[in-house]
Amino acid sequence: MSIDELQSNSKGWLFYVKASFVVALVAVGAGIFLMPTDLLVKGYFGISTLFLVSSTITLSKTMRDEHEAQRLLHRLSEAKTNQILREYAD
């Protein structure tokens, strides 16, 4: 199995996802920077935004890891079942 077969996303999609993230982050940053309010409020929104981004990345990674673990468990279970069936058939 080659690395190309393991990669399920196209290069175009990966570029789009990364570019969208950067554009959204810049837009929120510009919105906070240009907001007509005190520096304290801007700081609060800035820290809250960074925390939200960090939490979103952590949640996404955790859900992906959980999905991969479940896929591995299903593969192992299927392999064991196939082995038992082969032994039984012989």
Side-chain angles (χ1 to χ4, degrees), residues 19-75:
S20 296
F21 178 79
V22 169
V23 168
L25 203 55
V26 168
V28 169
I32 291 171
F33 180 74
L34 297 174
M35 190 182 333
T37 187
D38 297 336
L39 188 59
L40 184 64
V41 175
K42 289 180 183 183
Y44 173 77
F45 281 126
I47 294 296
S48 297
T49 300
L50 291 175
F51 181 59
L52 178 62
V53 168
S54 172
S55 298
T56 302
I57 291 170
T58 303
L59 175 64
S60 175
K61 181 190 176 315
T62 302
M63 291 180 70
R64 184 204 61 210
D65 291 348
E66 185 65 24
H67 175 72
E68 291 296 321
Q70 291 299 320
R71 279 183 49 194
L72 180 60
L73 287 174
H74 290 301
R75 283 175 137 182

